[in-house]
Amino acid sequence: MKIFTAKQIYAADQFTIEDQDITSDALMERASLQLFSWLHHRLQGAQVKIKLFCGIGNNGGDGLALARHLGEHGYNFEVFVVNYSEKRSHDFLTNLERLKDRKIWPNFINQDSELPSLDSEDIIIDAIFGIGLNRSPDQWVEGLVQHLNNSNAFVVSVDVPSGLFLDQAVKNSEAVVKANYVLSFQFPKLIFFLPDTGKFSNQWEILNIGLSQKYTEQTEATFELIGKNEVLKYYIPREKFSHKGTYGHALILGGSYGKIGAVSLASRACITSGSGLVSAYIPQCGYIPLQSSLPEIMVITDQGEKEITNISLNIEPNVIGVGIGLGTSKSTQQAFTEFLGKTEYPMVIDADGINIISGNKALLKKLPPKTILTPHPGELKRLLGNWENDFDKLHKAREFSKKYDCILVLKDAHTIVIYNEKGYINTTGNPGMATAGSGDVLTGVITSLIAQKYEPLIAAIFGVYLHGRAGDIAIENLGYQALTATAIINAIGRAYIDLFNIPPTDVEKESNEN
C-alpha cells in the first residue's frame, strides 16, 4: 500500500474531483459518512457524550459534517469550533450553514474563551487540524490540546492527530493531540510509523472515501506499507522435482567466545526458513556446542580458538550472513577487512560486522552490490552519524543506500527497508520482540531467502515480514514478556502457512458465532 505525501494527497483529491465529476463538498460528504459509519457501528446509538472539536479548515469541515449525521441519528453531542484563524475554507462554511439550518449551534472557542469541561467518559472527536498544518499552533491552542490530552477521555482523531505535520518533524510535542484512535482517509500516513510521531497514534484505521484508483496506480510513492498482500506475490513455491541444492547453500559467519549462541540462532533460523544447506563458520571454541545442538548444520572452524582471525573458506556458498557475535578485536577486524576485499558473495551484515565497517568507512566501497545491512538504531548512528529527527534519519539512510548501493534494514518498532530512494515499512512484529537474539534470527531469515534465489531487496522485505509475523504468532501463547528468539524461530513455519490463510468475512464470523 502506497504512502503519499501531503502534496500527493491533495493532488489525489483534485484528480478524483475531476475524474469523477464531483464537487469537493461531495468528497467531504463521503468522508463524513465513513466517519459516522465507523462510530455508529461501535456505539449503536448509545447516549455517551460526544464532543467534537473542529478547526476552520477542511478537517474541521469533516467534523461539522459528522456532527450533522450524529444529530440526524439522535446522538448526544456538542460541537466546538476552534477559531484559530480569520480564514475559513469554503467547505467548512458550507457545513457550518448546514448545521445551523438544523438548529445545531456550535460553541466558538477563541483565545480568551474558557476551556470546556471534559469528562473521562466522553468521546472526543479531534478535527482541529488536518494534513495541511505546517507551523506550530498558537499558544492558546496548545493549551486546548493539553486540556484534551489531560481529560482521560477516548480521543478519535480525524485523518491525523491535530498538531502533527505530515512530512516533517514535530516542532512542539506539547501541541499535539494524543489519539486513542485515528481514522485516516484512504491512505496510511508515514507519521504513524516513526518513533517520534507514531506515539501520538495509539491505533489507526483506513477509511475508504473512494479516491481515484487511477491516481493511486499511476503515482509513485517514496514509501510503501508492507503487509500480507504485498509479500504474498513474492513467495516462491517449492517444486516437486527439487532437492536441497535447489534451495541454496547459506553460510553464517560469526561468533566469539561467549557469543556462539548468536550464530546458533541465526543458523537455526536460516535452515528453518528454507535454505537447502546451512554452514556455520566459527572460532574453534564453538565447534562442540554448535555441532551437538544443531545436527542439521555443517560447521567450519577458524584457526582462532576464541575469535575469528583468518577467514578461509573451502566451500562456495550462495550467500553469507556475517557479523552476529563476531566481536571487534583487532585480529577479527583485520580478518574481516581482508575477507571483504576478496569476496563477491551476496552478503547480509549485522551487529559487529556493521560496527567494524562503521570504524573503517573505506570498507563500504568493498561491499558487493546490494549488500544488506541490518542495524539497530545505535548501529545505524555509527554508520550515518547523528540525525536531527526521524525525517532526517530517513533522508540520510536513503542517501547512504544510493551512495554505496546497499540495502538498509532499519530495525525498530516498524522496521523500514531502504534501497535507493524508496522505503518499505513493515506492519508485523510486536514489543515482545525486543529480546536478545531477535536480530540474529532476522539475519538468518534474510540470508536463507537469498540462498533460495530471492532478490536481495525482496529477501529483505519478505524476511522482515516473516520475522515479525512469526513473533506475532508466538506471542499468542506466550505473551510479550516470555517471548524469546527461539520461540520466534519455532513460529517461522506457521508464519509461512499464515501467508495462505484467508481471514473470514464479517458474514462468516457472524455465522460461526451463531
Side-chain angles (χ1 to χ4, degrees):
M1 186 182 295
K2 294 179 179 180
I3 298 176
F4 290 128
T5 63
K7 184 178 179 181
Q8 288 174 316
I9 293 172
Y10 282 126
D13 287 349
Q14 192 57 43
F15 186 98
T16 300
I17 289 168
E18 296 173 4
D19 186 53
Q20 299 178 6
D21 193 23
I22 60 172
T23 64
S24 59
D25 173 56
L27 190 58
M28 182 172 287
E29 190 66 11
R30 285 186 195 173
S32 66
L33 281 168
Q34 287 293 320
L35 291 169
F36 173 76
S37 295
W38 189 92
L39 281 169
H40 186 53
H41 179 71
R42 286 153 182 80
L43 295 179
Q44 295 292 306
Q47 290 301 295
V48 60
K49 186 75 176 198
I50 302 172
K51 296 181 178 178
L52 299 96
F53 290 83
C54 305
I56 42 75
N58 281 355
N59 195 254
D62 293 327
L64 295 180
L66 169 60
R68 171 165 39 87
H69 295 304
L70 291 172
E72 289 170 353
H73 288 79
Y75 278 95
N76 179 16
F77 69 96
E78 195 171 2
V79 180
F80 300 89
V81 172
V82 185
N83 237 345
Y84 56 78
S85 171
E86 294 301 319
K87 297 179 180 178
R88 307 247 183 300
S89 78
H90 171 76
D91 290 334
F92 166 85
L93 291 172
T94 297
N95 280 285
L96 181 61
E97 288 305 312
R98 287 174 180 163
L99 269 189
K100 291 179 178 179
D101 288 344
R102 288 159 176 78
K103 310 302 181 186
I104 299 172
W105 309 107
N107 303 287
F108 286 81
I109 303 177
N110 301 299
Q111 183 171 356
D112 300 326
S113 300
E114 184 177 342
L115 295 178
S117 120
L118 301 173
D119 190 273
S120 60
E121 295 183 359
D122 292 339
I123 292 177
I124 291 174
I125 304 298
D126 158 38
I128 304 172
F129 300 115
I131 63 172
L133 186 68
N134 56 20
R135 65 176 182 85
S136 293
D138 293 338
Q139 190 170 1
W140 72 269
V141 180
E142 176 187 335
L144 171 63
V145 167
Q146 291 178 7
H147 183 57
L148 301 182
N149 289 341
N150 293 333
S151 68
N152 293 320
F154 189 86
V155 178
V156 178
S157 286
V158 174
D159 211 14
V160 294
S162 290
L164 285 181
F165 311 130
L166 207 60
D167 305 320
Q168 58 178 303
V170 175
K171 292 182 173 64
N172 179 11
S173 60
E174 295 298 315
V176 181
V177 170
K178 294 179 181 177
N180 298 94
Y181 222 99
V182 181
L183 300 176
S184 192
F185 298 135
Q186 201 72 34
F187 309 112
K189 311 300 189 284
L190 178 61
I191 51 177
F192 297 163
F193 310 103
L194 305 180
D196 292 346
T197 51
K199 61 188 178 184
F200 297 104
S201 307
N202 190 38
Q203 289 183 285
W204 57 272
E205 188 172 328
I206 299 299
L207 299 183
N208 188 339
I209 60 171
L211 294 185
S212 172
Q213 188 67 23
K214 192 186 303 181
Y215 178 88
T216 303
E217 291 171 353
Q218 70 185 25
T219 305
E220 284 294 318
T222 303
F223 291 93
E224 290 187 27
L225 193 63
I226 302 298
K228 182 189 291 190
N229 291 337
E230 285 74 24
V231 300
L232 188 56
K233 63 186 178 184
Y234 300 142
Y235 176 76
I236 301 175
R238 294 247 164 169
E239 298 293 337
K240 179 179 180 180
F241 295 102
S242 61
H243 52 83
K244 62 186 178 185
T246 307
Y247 305 108
H249 187 176
L251 175 67
I252 301 296
L253 194 160
S256 55
Y257 185 80
K259 296 180 181 177
I260 298 301
V263 178
S264 177
L265 289 167
S267 299
R268 186 167 172 227
C270 192
I271 196 79
T272 305
S273 299
S275 182
L277 294 163
V278 177
S279 293
Y281 188 100
I282 55 173
Q284 294 182 28
C285 65
Y287 177 76
I288 292 176
L290 204 60
Q291 192 77 83
S292 57
S293 64
L294 287 174
E296 302 93 344
I297 307 301
M298 297 175 287
V299 180
I300 307 167
T301 56
D302 186 82
Q303 65 185 28
E305 172 64 29
K306 294 186 175 182
E307 60 190 12
I308 288 175
T309 58
N310 181 25
I311 302 170
S312 178
L313 301 180
N314 58 2
I315 61 171
E316 293 190 5
N318 299 102
V319 58
I320 300 174
V322 59
I324 49 274
L326 187 65
T328 57
S329 71
K330 188 174 181 180
S331 58
T332 299
Q333 288 189 44
Q334 183 176 345
F336 184 59
T337 299
E338 292 174 357
F339 179 68
L340 283 183
K342 61 187 179 184
T343 186
E344 296 181 357
Y345 297 115
M347 300 184 76
V348 181
I349 303 178
D350 187 24
D352 286 329
I354 294 173
N355 291 332
I356 291 172
I357 291 172
S358 298
N360 182 6
K361 299 288 177 60
L363 296 177
L364 288 165
K365 296 180 180 179
K366 296 184 177 182
L367 299 179
K370 296 185 180 179
T371 290
I372 298 173
L373 303 170
T374 62
H376 61 53
E379 292 161 351
L380 184 65
K381 278 193 176 180
R382 296 180 200 118
L383 271 181
L384 304 183
N386 291 327
W387 52 77
E388 294 180 8
N389 52 61
D390 288 334
F391 288 90
D392 185 39
K393 175 179 70 175
L394 291 175
H395 172 73
K396 288 184 174 181
R398 287 157 59 199
E399 291 297 310
F400 183 94
S401 170
K402 191 194 307 185
K403 181 177 180 180
Y404 296 108
D405 191 25
C406 65
I407 298 163
L408 288 174
V409 177
L410 312 185
K411 293 187 287 197
D412 217 314
H414 288 281
T415 294
I416 303 177
V417 176
I418 299 284
Y419 184 59
N420 279 334
E421 290 296 323
K422 293 206 68 172
Y424 305 85
I425 302 173
N426 187 49
T427 55
T428 59
N430 59 78
M433 297 179 74
T435 185
S438 179
D440 304 323
V441 173
L442 177 61
T443 297
V445 174
I446 296 174
T447 303
S448 176
L449 292 174
I450 296 176
Q452 295 171 70
K453 299 183 177 60
Y454 287 85
E455 288 294 317
L457 178 59
I458 301 304
I461 295 169
F462 193 12
V464 167
Y465 175 88
L466 276 176
H467 177 253
R469 189 69 190 105
D472 291 341
I473 290 169
I475 64 158
E476 292 175 5
N477 295 320
L478 295 172
Y480 294 143
Q481 289 77 8
L483 185 64
T484 63
T486 298
I488 296 171
I489 296 172
N490 291 339
I492 289 173
R494 282 177 288 164
Y496 270 114
I497 293 171
D498 180 71
L499 287 171
F500 304 96
N501 285 341
I502 301 173
T505 64
D506 290 340
V507 173
E508 289 171 331
K509 285 180 183 176
E510 190 173 326
S511 175
N512 290 334
E513 288 171 1
N514 293 335

